[in-house]
Amino acid sequence: MNRPEDSEVVRSARHLLSLLTSGTAAGPSQDNNRQHMVQQRDVVQQRDMVQQRATIQTEMTRSFPGFFCKGRGKRRMLSQTPSKPAKILPVNFYLLPHQYERTPMENEQLVHMQAGLGRKTMHMDENATYEEVYAQLKELYPKFQEIKGGWLVYKSSGGWGSRKLVLIPPDESGYSAKYLKAATKGFKGVLYIAPLQIELDTTALPPESQSFNDMPREKCQKCGITYPLVILTAHIKSCATCDEAEQTSEEAEQTSDEAEQTSDEAEQTKQATCPICQKEMSVDVIEIHASFCIGDSLQPLELNVSMEEPSTSGCSVLVTHTGDYSNSTEATSMSSDWRTESDKNKAVLLYTKEIIRQHETGKSLLMTMDVRMDKEDQDRELVAFYKQNGIEWACPVKCKLQGDAAIGEGVTRHFLSTVIQRLQHGFHFNMGNTARTCLFEGEPGHLVPSSSQFLVESDLFLVAGRMIGHSFLHGGPRLAGVSQAILHVLLGGSPETATVQIEDCPDHDIRETIKLLDGETELSGAEYQAVLNLSLAWDLPGPTKENRKWLFERLLTHAVIGRRSRQLKQIRKGLKETRVWPLLIERKDVDLFPKEFETSLTPSMLLPCICWPSVSSVDEDDDEDCSLEDRCRISGYLRRFIETASNSDLKHLVKFWLGWEVPDEKMVVEVINADMPKSSTCFNMLRLPGHYTDFSHFKDELLMCIGTSEFGFGLV
């Protein structure tokens, strides 16, 4: 029988069991509900993101269809541009032996090719760097390896013949292929390479040289030896058989006989050449012909080249040589001898004649001046002429005086004489608040370039260099009395090795201040302050007992040379443009700037050069001829004048006689019936009236006439 207590217990146990069972069943259900809610939320978020992405993709596809089209955009953005093969382009190079201003002439091009230089074609990668270009040039030109001190590339301007070279400045990375291609617009034309600080040898290479490996070869038909074509052209001229040599010898003997016969005929009939039309005719009619000769047929002038030869009296006589060397084999054979010629004046003759011969076919330089203008305007015309750039100063010169009937070589002499005179004594125009503009200042024998920076900025010292070189090249007067210290530095010497004299300092205030240090006397307070101010102005220390001598030398060197470095650089550039620089460098003994006393004229220099009037019988039908008595008397007056005249008067006489101050070996004197002395500079002839009966009258009128040579040729 169940007891009531048991039933209560059972009922309680069942109730507890039911509670436990219901709690266990409710837990998983709540978890499932929670998971279901989370899953639903994730689905909603994923759906929203997909919708958002679809919206962005649709919008980008609409805006940028080329990049976001289906199946194309991704591949295009990830693909890379395929690399193109490098192009190998032919480039024409021309290796020059030294710095040139214009392209070489045809005769020079052959010489360069025979020396392993000249024009060659190089196949170059258009992406080549400077190092690769440099390596290829070494392979192309074996002599390129000899270049030390840098090199530059030039291109030529358009046109035919000799053209001006234009510098291609190097890029930061040097001359790369891309840079050269851009500078030449696709490698058009020829690229000229010139060394900066050296000069390559132009001696012809042997036929077996590696420089001719790629050049076609042909066999000489005379000797049977195979040569490169550029060498064969020169070999053919020198290769000859014994029969040809004998025939040449016979022809030379025949030519010599004909020359002797011609000389004998010339002695019988004296001929002369008209300086205007270059035609030969009798001396009796040439003066009349020259008066009516048309100037339009004027040929390029053959200018004088002076050299000094000893006269029989033991004095030095300046001799002028003229002649046409354009087709002369003698000029060609002598052109290479100027370096080894023992006589410096003959070396100058050989060099200048060769330079003029090489440029005789060039465009003539026309120099004009209006003698009716005042001196200031005339000097400005001179400066304007020599300020022109790109001029070949070795070309023939034609000079014309507007307002004067004179023409010919005498006018050219007058121009060159005027140019050097202006350099010596100053130009008649105001530049720098001075009555005259002096490019050179100081005492005679100690001339130095002016320290005026205004003149430097105006390139007037470049003009001075051109004037000096031009006159020297054509045999004219030279600038005398320049300081030896300045010449030492100008011709390449170091300022530290120059011997500077106190007289070389043109500024007397600076000179007196520097002289305070020359000695052992103790400086006063004012003297010390003056030296100190000058030293500090030139970035030098003040004077002490220990540095006194050193400071004296430093101050003097800076006063003479240091303040004129730019002037010397411009003068040097002007000399190089006139092509006289190689002669000055090779021949240190050549006097481009003679000393003051070397240009002085003395009676012993002039008298042996004079061809006095003939004492033969007088032609009574000639109105201009004077009696024998008149000839002797006037000749005596002239000799007396020369023997007693000053150096200045003698220079004026020679300039009136010839056109410049350089004496000639043949200076002719004639005595005629006239009112005043006259001269024919083209014929080196001085015509003196025969009516003078006393020396004083003769001297006064002669001095008056020779003083007019500065103003033109009104009496010619």
Side-chain angles (χ1 to χ4, degrees):
M1 168 174 191
N2 293 336
R3 290 180 296 181
E5 296 85 356
D6 294 338
S7 58
E8 289 293 334
V9 171
V10 171
R11 189 170 50 252
S12 297
R14 287 178 178 175
H15 179 69
L16 178 61
L17 180 62
S18 64
L19 290 174
L20 293 173
T21 304
S22 62
T24 305
S29 177
Q30 292 177 358
D31 291 340
N32 291 335
N33 292 334
R34 188 180 297 109
Q35 291 179 359
H36 180 68
M37 293 176 64
V38 171
Q39 290 177 356
Q40 288 182 347
R41 186 183 62 187
D42 292 341
V43 170
V44 173
Q45 291 179 353
Q46 186 175 6
R47 185 179 58 209
D48 294 340
M49 291 178 64
V50 170
Q51 292 177 354
Q52 185 179 6
R53 289 179 181 175
T55 303
I56 295 175
Q57 181 70 22
T58 302
E59 195 67 28
M60 295 301 292
T61 302
R62 183 180 64 81
S63 301
F64 306 100
F67 289 95
F68 293 93
C69 276
K70 185 177 179 180
R72 294 177 56 189
K74 188 174 181 179
R75 286 196 302 271
R76 176 174 296 182
M77 296 180 66
L78 297 178
S79 63
Q80 296 180 357
T81 304
S83 60
K84 297 181 180 179
K87 290 185 179 180
I88 306 299
L89 302 176
V91 185
N92 295 320
F93 283 98
Y94 193 111
L95 181 57
L96 298 167
H98 54 82
Q99 290 288 323
Y100 273 68
E101 295 181 359
R102 304 182 68 85
T103 57
M105 306 292 287
E106 293 183 359
N107 56 344
E108 294 179 298
Q109 295 178 11
L110 181 59
V111 173
H112 295 167
M113 294 184 65
Q114 293 174 352
L117 310 175
R119 179 171 176 172
K120 292 186 179 182
T121 302
M122 184 175 76
H123 293 80
M124 185 170 58
D125 185 348
E126 65 175 355
N127 297 322
T129 62
Y130 168 76
E131 290 75 14
E132 293 172 344
V133 173
Y134 184 59
Q136 279 190 274
L137 288 175
K138 287 184 178 180
E139 296 179 2
L140 186 66
Y141 295 101
K143 284 191 175 182
F144 197 81
Q145 302 178 7
E146 302 176 8
I147 297 180
K148 305 295 181 182
W151 49 278
L152 293 174
V153 179
Y154 298 81
K155 62 181 180 180
S156 61
S157 57
W160 298 93
S162 180
R163 303 175 303 282
K164 184 178 180 180
L165 291 178
V166 181
L167 173 66
I168 302 178
D171 195 9
E172 295 179 355
S173 58
Y175 290 111
S176 62
K178 288 185 177 179
Y179 180 70
L180 292 177
K181 182 179 179 181
T184 57
K185 299 181 180 179
F187 294 121
K188 295 181 180 179
V190 182
L191 295 175
Y192 293 85
I193 305 175
L196 272 176
Q197 304 183 45
I198 66 170
E199 182 173 353
L200 298 177
D201 186 16
T202 56
T203 305
L205 297 176
E208 61 274 8
S209 174
Q210 61 177 344
S211 298
F212 308 129
N213 290 341
D214 299 332
M215 185 170 293
R217 296 172 178 265
E218 290 294 338
K219 182 183 294 185
C220 177
Q221 299 299 320
K222 296 180 181 179
C223 61
I225 303 177
T226 302
Y227 291 94
L229 291 182
V230 293
I231 302 296
L232 184 61
T233 56
H235 168 75
I236 293 175
K237 299 178 181 179
S238 59
C239 183
T241 61
C242 296
D243 296 338
E244 292 173 344
E246 292 178 359
Q247 181 179 0
T248 303
S249 177
E250 293 176 358
E251 292 177 354
E253 292 179 0
Q254 182 179 0
T255 303
S256 177
D257 295 340
E258 293 176 355
E260 292 180 359
Q261 182 179 0
T262 304
S263 177
D264 295 339
E265 294 176 355
E267 290 181 358
Q268 297 175 2
T269 304
K270 293 184 179 180
Q271 298 286 326
T273 303
C274 176
I276 303 174
C277 63
Q278 301 297 317
K279 293 182 180 180
E280 289 191 358
M281 58 194 67
S282 175
V283 177
D284 299 333
V285 299
I286 191 171
E287 295 184 16
I288 300 175
H289 165 80
S291 301
F292 300 95
C293 188
I294 300 176
D296 294 338
S297 61
L298 182 64
Q299 301 296 325
L301 296 175
E302 285 297 329
L303 302 179
N304 292 344
V305 179
S306 301
M307 61 174 288
E308 192 172 4
E309 294 182 353
S311 65
T312 55
S313 61
C315 61
S316 296
V317 181
L318 293 175
V319 184
T320 303
H321 295 262
T322 60
D324 185 7
Y325 281 78
S326 58
N327 298 320
S328 174
T329 58
E330 181 181 0
T332 304
S333 62
M334 292 193 305
S335 61
S336 60
D337 296 336
W338 61 269
R339 291 184 176 89
T340 58
E341 174 59 45
S342 58
D343 187 351
K344 63 179 181 180
N345 296 302
K346 190 173 182 180
V348 171
L349 171 67
L350 295 174
Y351 180 83
T352 54
K353 275 297 182 184
E354 177 63 17
I355 294 297
I356 293 177
R357 184 191 65 82
Q358 292 176 0
H359 297 82
E360 63 184 353
T361 58
K363 184 178 180 180
S364 299
L365 304 181
L366 179 60
M367 303 171 63
T368 61
M369 179 187 295
D370 193 339
V371 296
R372 296 164 295 188
M373 298 189 304
D374 55 18
K375 290 185 178 180
E376 179 177 354
D377 292 334
Q378 293 180 9
D379 289 356
R380 291 188 183 276
E381 284 191 356
L382 282 178
V383 173
F385 176 80
Y386 282 99
K387 261 200 169 185
Q388 300 178 87
N389 295 321
I391 300 296
E392 183 53 72
W393 301 102
C395 289
V397 181
K398 292 182 180 180
C399 299
K400 182 178 180 180
L401 288 177
Q402 297 178 356
D404 198 311
I407 56 176
E409 187 177 359
V411 181
T412 303
R413 295 175 182 174
H414 174 75
F415 265 88
L416 296 177
S417 174
T418 304
V419 163
I420 299 300
Q421 185 180 11
R422 296 298 186 266
L423 289 177
Q424 195 90 41
H425 304 290
F427 292 88
H428 295 88
F429 50 74
N430 184 357
M431 295 185 67
N433 297 324
T434 57
R436 283 194 178 191
T437 299
C438 295
L439 299 186
F440 292 85
E441 56 186 6
E443 303 177 3
H446 301 277
L447 294 178
V448 297
S450 173
S451 59
S452 172
Q453 294 303 309
F454 180 76
L455 301 181
V456 177
E457 298 298 334
S458 302
D459 290 334
L460 286 185
F461 293 100
L462 174 62
V463 170
R466 292 170 177 172
M467 289 178 171
I468 296 169
H470 194 218
S471 179
F472 175 80
L473 186 63
H474 294 294
R478 308 177 189 181
L479 183 63
V482 180
S483 165
Q484 295 300 309
I486 291 293
L487 295 181
H488 174 79
V489 179
L490 176 64
L491 300 179
S494 173
E496 286 73 18
T497 59
T499 303
V500 186
Q501 302 179 15
I502 192 65
E503 292 80 9
D504 294 334
C505 181
D507 193 317
H508 287 273
D509 294 337
I510 296 178
R511 181 193 299 186
E512 294 301 324
T513 303
I514 296 176
K515 287 174 64 175
L516 296 174
L517 297 173
D518 188 17
E520 301 295 335
T521 307
E522 185 176 355
L523 300 178
S524 64
E527 293 174 344
Y528 176 85
Q529 189 63 38
V531 175
L532 179 62
N533 293 338
L534 183 61
S535 301
L536 295 178
W538 292 346
D539 297 330
L540 293 172
T544 62
K545 293 182 179 179
E546 292 76 14
N547 72 350
R548 184 165 181 163
K549 184 176 181 181
W550 173 86
L551 185 60
F552 170 80
E553 295 176 354
R554 294 293 297 175
L555 288 174
L556 184 58
T557 301
H558 183 78
V560 177
I561 299 176
R563 303 174 66 197
R564 294 167 173 83
S565 57
R566 295 179 61 189
Q567 291 87 324
L568 295 178
K569 184 177 181 180
Q570 288 189 11
I571 296 174
R572 191 182 299 116
K573 181 180 179 181
L575 294 176
K576 291 180 179 179
E577 291 182 358
T578 55
R579 298 187 180 273
V580 302
W581 187 254
L583 175 66
L584 303 179
I585 296 301
E586 294 280 346
R587 298 296 300 260
K588 299 294 185 180
D589 55 339
V590 172
D591 298 327
L592 176 60
F593 301 90
K595 297 181 180 178
E596 191 76 21
F597 69 88
E598 294 177 348
T599 60
S600 300
L601 295 180
T602 61
S604 59
M605 295 174 61
L606 290 183
L607 291 176
C609 302
I610 298 177
C611 297
W612 299 98
S614 174
V615 295
S616 59
S617 60
V618 180
D619 188 358
E620 296 180 356
D621 296 333
D622 193 344
D623 295 335
E624 289 193 354
D625 278 340
C626 294
S627 64
L628 178 59
E629 180 182 357
D630 292 339
R631 295 183 182 186
C632 295
R633 183 179 67 256
I634 300 303
S635 298
Y637 288 165
L638 179 60
R639 176 183 291 272
R640 182 178 174 184
F641 176 83
I642 294 175
E643 292 175 344
T644 58
S646 63
N647 174 54
S648 177
D649 290 339
L650 290 180
K651 286 187 175 182
H652 287 152
L653 174 63
V654 174
K655 184 175 182 179
F656 178 80
W657 200 329
L658 305 177
W660 58 22
E661 301 86 348
V662 183
D664 190 88
E665 65 175 348
K666 186 178 181 181
M667 301 168 63
V668 182
V669 177
E670 281 192 354
V671 180
I672 60 174
N673 291 319
D675 296 330
M676 300 289 290
K678 297 186 286 187
S679 66
S680 296
T681 54
C682 294
F683 301 101
N684 299 348
M685 185 175 296
L686 177 66
R687 292 187 172 95
L688 300 175
H691 62 77
Y692 298 109
T693 57
D694 62 277
F695 175 71
S696 60
H697 187 202
F698 171 84
K699 179 181 179 180
D700 293 340
E701 292 201 349
L702 183 59
L703 286 174
M704 181 176 59
C705 290
I706 63 179
T708 63
S709 60
E710 185 177 351
F711 306 97
F713 294 78
L715 297 178
V716 177

